[in-house]
Amino acid sequence: MRIALLCQIAFLMSSNSFAASPEPADYFEKSVRPVLVKYCADCHDPKDSKNDVGLLKAITADEISQSRKIWHSASHQLRNRTMPPADEPQPTEAERLRIANWIETYLRETACNHGPHAGRVLPRRLNRTEYDHTIRDLFGLELKFSEKFPNDGAGGEGFDNNGETLFLPPILMERYLEAAQQVLDAAIITPPLVKTYLASDFLPPVTKRQQGTRTIPTGKEITVIESIYLTSDYEVKIKFQLPEKNSMNVILKIDGIKAHRFKLSDQTDQTVSTNVRLMRGLHSITLAVPNEEPSVKVASMELTEQRGKPFLTKKELHQRIFQVAGKDLPQNRDAAHKIIREIARKAYRRPLTEDELSQLMQLYDRAAKRNDPYEERIKLSLKAVLVSPHFLFRTEANKTQAGIQPISEYELATRLSYFFWASTPDEELLRLANQAQLHKESVLNQQITRMLADAKARSLSKQFTEQWLGTKDVGGRVAPVGGDFRDVYSTELALDFREEAIQMMDYIFQKNRSLLEIVDADYAFLNQRLAKHYGVEGVKGRKFRKVSITDGKRGGVLGLGGVHMLTSYPKRTSPVLRGAWVLETLLGTPVPSPPPGVPPLKEKSKQNKKRSIRQVLEAHREHATCAACHDIIDPIGFGLENYDLFGRWREKERGQPVDATGEFPSGETFAGPAELKKVLLKRKDELARHFTAKMLGYALGRSLEDADACTIETIVKKLEQNGYQSQALIREIVFCTPFLYRDGVMAEVESEKTK
């Protein structure tokens, strides 16, 4: 149970061994801060009350730790040459790099100075994916019941499993009620309704029996009230007795609305029928005689559900639920007790209390009292389970002690299952939690291996990759405008783009490949359609397979067509969008918004029509306020200009040869994607650090805080030692303090005070 704390302590000891910088203790005061004061004080004077950036409030190096976010930003701004502004005096390149290096080194080396940090845990509503996957694993239903739910917003590190953005609007509660009923109707077979109504069953009641029939006088009506358990077609069959041979009309009403007019023929005894569509719920079925017609006698009425035999798969789903009570599927209260307790245990991801189970059984008893079918009694109790906060929310017990406290066994089982599978814990996780085994290092290692090998682990690859890269929007929000691309683009191609990214990441996770292959993989995952689109030969069939890449045009995220669609405008590529995407998504370098007053790119002017996008941008960069940012963004984008907006390789753009060369302000040069990848790999620490932060945020389902820097640095150090293996990252996240622990009550109170 103390695994994560020991890891943090080990890092503290190791970090102290190299924390002794070659610079003197007063290096910040004498060599760093004076340079910052010289170039930054005009805008960030600490004595200016209007200055909301407290960069220069730090007088000593120790005070930097009190505002780590500001100093992280400062190092990024210095490296990217976005600060000071272009129209202000600038530090030399040597000063920029020296100070940025010192800040980053200092922040890394002091990340754990404040000790381990676990963080607060908010109650988290299941997002749409988690809801569907959980229903799948509870009932075996592969249906998207969440399609009618509002879209989940992304927060924190950019993922839709963040508890800070998973709100519960009133309309969603209504959708939960509807979905719960749909789930249970799809999983449980209620016997078809077949019911006969005799004279005494109709309303209004009569005091005198009418010889087995019920008379409907002229201008009057009689009614039965019936509970319909499944939306379906129903046959209504009525036996009439006419006082004499005479043709007449009788009206059938459903819930007071005319549904059919029966034309009775010239016979004294006759049976008529019709089909009606009835929704689930309580309905009134009425027979009415119009004012101009004579009275008529009703001998009986039958209501028969027109439902075919259930498919074998549905029978299996039904039996899966009910066999908990025994192989012969008994239908009594004791059996219902076992079924409800078992489903609720899995749905709540923990054992039920006696009070919780008693409340669910009260619903069963209420349905039994009104003579509902046995299956409907079970449904009513389980519907309460599926709309319970214990199912819809992942909640963890508040820690009443101060300091970092371990989460419970069942809470750990839940964290693991939703991290790896985006679904509820399976029986093995719940069993280990019940035996208090899950926190043991050997057991936890075994479970990580088992869960990664499970087919459900594709959820980790899919949910993380599509949201991290942004390819989830390809084919939806990101799609070409107009009909110019009908011969190139299709919905099927967009789906292939998305799948290509998932397949790549799933391979890296499953085969424990280096995370650096995200940048420089010498393979791609293609099917025939995608290979034809890219111009890759020898790939047949719809199935994706690993394809060796030797020409440097594909491989890694920079060769993904979905990424190039995402980072292009609807009708052309954008080196700016692509460069910014690489900086933010791969390196974790925030790109500032354009400053006010920047002139727009006059792409359609006569002068620019025949120019390449690169030539237009280079003219645009002559503007002083633009150059600072574009000098770092554009070279990366230029290096990807061989890809058109659909990721196809091209040698010309607007009739001119593509110039895919680039030069960074540091002097590094490259030509084309293959050489750009080599430059990016020189920043593998930044790649690993940002990827670690993203996956940690996804695993925790919350925004990362400054105090999480210690965890990130610990994991990155272990990653480097393990050759950046993907499974090493996953294991380190599971064993880290924020995953296995949470802050106690005092830490939460202090956190609230500092908001």
Side-chain angles (χ1 to χ4, degrees), residues 521 523-524 534 536 549 551-556 559 561 643 647-649 677:
Y523 56 84
Y534 288 153
V536 177
I549 300 296
D551 59 7
K553 295 179 180 179
R554 302 289 156 197
Y643 299 107
R648 295 176 300 177
W649 189 264
K677 293 176 185 179

Side-chain angles (χ1 to χ4, degrees), residues 669-688:
T669 61
F670 58 87
E675 292 186 11
L676 172 60
K677 293 176 185 179
K678 293 178 181 179
V679 175
L680 292 176
L681 285 177
K682 293 179 181 179
R683 301 170 70 173
K684 58 186 176 183
D685 282 349
E686 292 175 65
L687 289 165

